[in-house]
Amino acid sequence: MKVLFAAASTSYARNMEVYERIKKQIQALGHEVYFDGQDATAVESTGSVRSLDDDDWKVLCDREVGAAQECDAAIFDVSDKATFGVGFMASICVSKGTPTLFLLRDDTVGGSFVSGLQRACLQRKSFNTANVAGKVRKFLEGVRV
Amino acid sequence: MIVYFSGSARELEKDAPVFREIIQCLQDHGAVIANSWFEGAALRGVLPQSMERWREIVSEAAMGIRDADVVIVEGSGRSGFGVGFELAEALRLEKSTILLISDTERDNSYAAGLEQTRLRVVFYSRKDIKINLSRELADVRIREAS
């Protein structure tokens, strides 16, 4: 199964340990993972946003939109300030009925567009570093292709 | 012409003047704005917190996009999840869509890389936004008529 995992580029530096756990869990279940952070070399350790020229943005967008269209399941970290790109990919996934998991860190506060979304294919789970792999495993074990 | 306008409410204090110019320009061209979230949110100055209210907002947005002839999205660098979600929805429904990106945020805008048949990406500065938007609206009218 192809599994897309995505998060705001501004979250990579801070959450890389968590994201590596998610990626490893997906692979441990025998799935192919597309993680948009794996090529995000332009993301500085300060956590600043990506800065690319137009052509590089086109390459990145093509790849990510393609992954959203082709995946069998999708997982998004929507804690903190989920970004435009995450919203764009999530929209493609849920409109196709792709089983989708929104992960929200335990300490995420307040309402947002994310909290108002309701779709039959969409699940939400809160997580912390210790339990994130288990949450991902449970979600993927419930997905039938 | 019914227009759905999408923009980020994250930094509304900063973005409100630009959003007002966009909406004024649309109204000057006889457009009917499908959604009225912006002035309400600007007046309140804070985003709603309840999940119930957000469900209504998401539902209203879906209906607004569905009913619109044209979707205008302000998608500069700091735009969030909701704006990206709505843009993808507009393109899925094959709406004529104009994506406005501030010149100053061109390098850090994911949206700058999107290429789709029904999407026009327009980079703007504050001083030329009305001219650019007017031109795009005229083009949309010609395309829709032909």
Side-chain angles (χ1 to χ4, degrees):
Chain A
M1 193 161 78
K2 288 181 183 173
V3 181
L4 164 67
F5 171 57
S9 59
T10 48
S11 302
Y12 291 155
R14 183 166 78 246
N15 294 310
M16 201 40 87
E17 184 192 347
V18 170
Y19 295 168
E20 281 301 316
R21 284 185 188 209
I22 292 171
K23 189 176 151 187
K24 281 179 183 160
Q25 180 61 76
I26 296 168
Q27 290 168 329
L29 291 167
H31 304 306
E32 183 185 331
V33 60
Y34 175 85
F35 172 39
D36 74 342
Q38 62 199 4
D39 299 316
T41 49
V43 180
E44 300 85 356
S45 58
T46 54
S48 65
V49 294
R50 280 184 263 208
S51 181
L52 303 173
D53 67 27
D54 289 357
D55 285 341
D56 288 339
W57 278 119
K58 282 188 175 71
V59 171
L60 183 77
C61 285
D62 279 352
R63 203 167 54 215
E64 294 194 345
V65 169
Q69 284 167 337
E70 289 171 13
C71 68
D72 303 300
I75 299 169
F76 297 99
D77 178 5
V78 292
S79 314
D80 307 322
K81 292 186 172 179
T83 52
F84 182 98
V86 174
F88 195 87
M89 285 187 277
S91 185
I92 292 170
C93 292
V94 298
S95 72
K96 289 173 63 228
T98 303
T100 300
L101 174 64
F102 281 0
L103 289 169
L104 291 122
R105 228 175 221 295
D106 281 343
D107 57 1
T108 304
V109 290
S112 66
F113 191 96
V114 165
S115 63
L117 266 179
Q118 289 181 300
R119 297 287 193 281
C121 64
L122 176 61
Q123 294 180 39
R124 281 183 190 76
K125 287 188 194 299
S126 60
F127 75 94
N128 56 46
T129 306
N131 68 17
V132 70
K135 305 258 176 167
V136 167
R137 187 181 64 244
K138 198 169 174 191
F139 165 70
L140 290 174
E141 285 174 347
V143 174
R144 297 281 175 271
V145 180
Chain B
M1 181 166 61
I2 300 171
V3 174
Y4 181 86
F5 172 64
S6 175
S8 176
R10 272 185 185 164
E11 295 181 37
L12 210 49
E13 228 171 84
K14 194 170 167 185
D15 292 328
V18 174
F19 288 2
R20 285 204 177 90
E21 274 194 63
I22 292 169
I23 287 170
Q24 185 59 57
C25 180
L26 294 170
Q27 288 170 337
D28 289 347
H29 282 78
V32 174
I33 311 296
N35 55 327
S36 54
W37 68 271
F38 164 62
E39 285 302 344
L43 279 174
R44 281 193 303 273
V46 290
L47 292 173
Q49 293 297 309
S50 84
M51 196 179 284
E52 203 53 44
R53 179 63 193 125
W54 275 107
R55 281 186 189 141
E56 289 171 7
I57 290 170
V58 171
S59 173
E60 286 162 9
M63 284 189 288
I65 293 168
R66 188 194 61 204
D67 294 341
D69 302 306
V70 180
V71 175
I72 312 270
V73 177
E74 207 293 330
S76 300
R78 61 185 169 277
S79 293
F81 182 98
V83 179
F85 193 94
E86 290 176 4
L87 175 61
E89 180 69 358
L91 295 172
R92 185 179 73 81
L93 295 173
E94 299 188 332
K95 299 290 177 181
S96 289
T97 305
I98 299 169
L99 173 59
L100 300 167
I101 299 173
S102 166
D103 261 344
T104 58
E105 296 184 48
R106 186 175 187 137
D107 290 348
N108 59 18
S109 285
Y110 182 97
L114 293 170
E115 279 185 322
Q116 310 252 342
T117 316
R118 307 282 292 183
L119 179 66
R120 287 277 302 158
V121 182
V122 178
F123 297 99
Y124 72 89
S125 67
R126 277 297 298 280
K127 76 175 181 229
D128 65 16
I129 187 166
K130 284 191 175 179
I131 298 165
N132 282 342
L133 190 50
S134 297
R135 190 175 55 229
E136 293 302 325
L137 288 171
D139 282 353
V140 166
R141 280 209 171 93
I142 291 165
R143 281 201 304 273
E144 296 299 316
S146 60

